[in-house]
Amino acid sequence: MDLSSGVAAAVLAAAAVLLLLMRRRPERPVRSGYAATSPVGSDVDTLDAMVALGEAMSDANYTVNTVRETLDRVARHQGLGSAEVIVLPTAIIVSSRVRGQVLTRAVSTGFRPLTFQQVDAVDRIARSAREGALTTTQVTTMVRLMRDDRQPFRAYQRVAAYAVASGSLSVLLGAALSGVAVALILGLFVGVLLGVSQRLPDRTRPLITFGSAFVVSVTVFWLLNVAAVDAGALPSLVAPLVIFLPGAMLTTSVVELTTGQIVSGGARLAAGFMQLILLALGIVAAGTLVGVPAIALGPAQQPLGAVAPWIAVGVFGISIGIHQRAAPYALPWITALLYVAYSVQVLAEPLVGAVIAAFVAAVVMTPVAAHIARHGGPPAIVPFRPAFWLLVPGALGLVGVTTLFDTGTGSLNTIVATVATMVAVALGILAGSIVPRRRSVTSLPIF
């Protein structure tokens, strides 16, 4: 057993002990923040609360099945059993017959992504509403307060954190010291661009994605052409763009398609592939402008030593949590799940290959994330998403884009492996979700 495998086994053993100790703690209670009152409100208030909560959950990236199930339970608690709910990735429609009239509420969704702290608040509101512990007025008020609440970490802290996350991820992808330095600088640039883009209209998002991919690729290709070396090239290209990789969106689409949500799953699939196309266009344009150097696309090496990736996992967890504005108490849990996911990958990949290793990692980390959520940690979606960024689909998808410059069959093989890995992760999440599926939304990470 080599050093990495030994460390991975030790991390998983420590995680198992921690999870067993957590079982002695009581499950996280449902706290609404309000005094107990009669949960029943007017029918109009119920419809308003349902669309407000549904919009927030959609913005938090819950699947349509989870959103609809939550809204159905809210309607039953409020005595509105006749309510019909239609959930799409970009719209919520709620309708019910009230005193001989059909009342309908509709709202567009998916256009206001939430921070991790806001996702935490949405999960608590949804759990309370599902248990019938809130009035409809309280639901509406809490959703509004969630959106207006002051968020942790200032803009400059988020920019610096993303630069550090980019550098640490490049270590995990096998960068040399020069590659880490390039990834840090480019991560700083992308972090600033992401901060500026929040003040721009939504229609500029495709330009931000394309522009980031173009500038990062031009810089990396130009440096490689000048230095005539390829050490650390791929990590320096992938790491700063990790925030744009639609791995979670694509995997969500696969899950929804496999569970019969054709419209929602197809829409997410199209949006995810469009994001990859924008990244591809940026890389192709950069290659056309400055020329594409020879890039070695073999298995990732560890030029900084076998211990460096394990340090980088912790650094990545803290920094990406800060960038995504997680509540401070959630940062250790995010890091813990990252170590679990990475350890499983390290142990499984030599035995079963990268694709099956991604499946195994998804199976393991899904119930672990739910267990953390039930025993005092953040909702499962918060530590799960950074852990997902360590799995293969996102980075492998961009590797597939870069190998399109090859003249051989490497590009086709990598694209096939990318699709297979996305399906494997989706199936792993479905398999893992069977274990903890006994409580409310917290039991399922993003599904």
Side-chain angles (χ1 to χ4, degrees):
M1 179 181 291
D2 59 16
L3 179 61
S4 294
S5 298
V7 174
V11 168
L12 290 180
V17 173
L18 177 61
L19 292 176
L20 289 175
L21 293 176
M22 290 177 64
R23 290 178 62 88
R24 300 180 181 180
R25 301 176 59 182
E27 294 194 4
R28 186 179 66 179
V30 176
R31 294 188 178 96
S32 66
Y34 290 90
T37 57
S38 173
V40 179
S42 70
D43 295 336
V44 174
D45 289 342
T46 298
L47 293 178
D48 291 338
M50 290 172 66
V51 295
L53 179 59
E55 179 187 8
M57 293 183 69
S58 293
D59 291 342
N61 203 35
Y62 287 101
T63 62
V64 296
N65 287 329
T66 302
V67 176
R68 188 179 64 250
E69 179 188 351
T70 299
L71 299 186
D72 285 341
R73 290 185 60 174
V74 170
R76 289 198 298 270
H77 279 300
Q78 300 300 324
L80 204 63
S82 62
E84 295 289 341
V85 179
I86 299 176
V87 182
L88 299 171
T90 57
I92 302 286
I93 303 173
V94 179
S95 182
S96 179
R97 183 174 295 277
V98 178
R99 293 185 294 275
Q101 292 183 330
V102 176
L103 300 181
T104 301
R105 295 291 186 271
V107 64
S108 61
T109 64
F111 300 104
R112 293 190 288 177
L114 303 182
T115 67
F116 281 176
Q117 178 169 280
Q118 289 175 322
V119 172
D120 194 329
V122 169
D123 184 86
R124 295 175 186 272
I125 296 169
R127 293 181 69 229
S128 299
R130 286 165 63 100
E131 298 294 332
L134 297 175
T135 66
T136 54
T137 301
Q138 289 172 348
V139 171
T140 304
T141 301
M142 292 177 71
V143 170
R144 177 178 55 81
L145 292 176
M146 174 275 299
R147 294 192 183 276
D148 297 337
D149 192 19
R150 183 178 179 181
Q151 298 300 299
F153 307 113
R154 298 181 181 274
Y156 74 89
Q157 293 174 316
R158 297 185 65 209
V159 172
Y162 189 75
V164 174
S166 176
S168 59
L169 184 61
S170 70
V171 174
L172 293 172
L173 295 176
L177 188 59
S178 59
V180 175
V182 173
L184 280 168
I185 296 172
L186 292 176
L188 186 66
F189 164 77
V190 174
V192 172
L193 197 60
L194 289 171
V196 173
S197 68
Q198 294 181 347
R199 302 181 179 88
L200 300 177
D202 291 339
R203 63 178 180 272
T204 61
R205 290 181 183 176
L207 297 178
I208 298 297
T209 302
F210 172 82
S212 298
F214 178 77
V215 172
V216 168
S217 301
V218 163
T219 304
V220 172
F221 291 160
W222 181 80
L223 288 174
L224 293 176
N225 283 326
V226 170
V229 295
D230 60 358
L234 188 58
S236 300
L237 180 64
V238 172
L241 301 176
V242 65
I243 199 70
F244 299 107
L245 298 176
M249 182 185 298
L250 293 176
T251 302
T252 302
S253 72
V254 172
V255 172
E256 289 181 336
L257 287 171
T258 57
T259 55
Q261 297 295 333
I262 305 301
V263 174
S264 176
R268 294 187 198 272
L269 187 66
F273 274 111
M274 179 55 67
Q275 185 84 345
L276 282 178
I277 290 173
L278 290 172
L279 290 171
L281 288 176
I283 296 172
V284 170
T288 303
L289 180 64
V290 300
V292 181
I295 300 177
L297 294 172
Q301 303 298 318
Q302 296 177 343
L304 299 182
V307 178
W310 294 99
I311 299 174
V313 170
V315 175
F316 178 77
I318 298 298
S319 56
I320 202 65
I322 292 174
H323 179 263
Q324 294 294 311
R325 287 185 164 175
Y329 88 98
L331 296 179
W333 297 113
I334 292 174
T335 305
L337 193 65
L338 282 174
Y339 274 115
V340 170
Y342 185 70
S343 298
V344 172
Q345 278 194 299
V346 168
L347 291 175
E349 187 169 352
L351 300 176
V352 296
V355 175
I356 304 301
F359 171 83
V360 175
V363 170
V364 172
M365 73 180 185
T366 301
V368 171
H371 185 84
I372 289 173
R374 290 198 301 268
H375 295 275
I381 191 174
V382 171
F384 178 86
R385 287 172 61 185
F388 179 86
W389 285 330
L390 284 184
L391 295 181
V392 181
L396 188 57
L398 192 55
V399 172
V401 171
T402 60
T403 55
L404 292 176
F405 296 114
D406 291 347
T407 58
T409 60
S411 60
L412 179 59
N413 292 337
T414 306
I415 292 173
V416 171
T418 301
V419 176
T421 307
M422 288 190 296
V423 175
V425 171
L427 294 177
I429 292 169
L430 286 174
S433 66
I434 295 174
V435 178
R437 190 177 176 87
R438 68 187 186 92
R439 285 296 296 257
S440 56
V441 239
T442 320
S443 297
L444 299 176
I446 61 174
F447 309 111

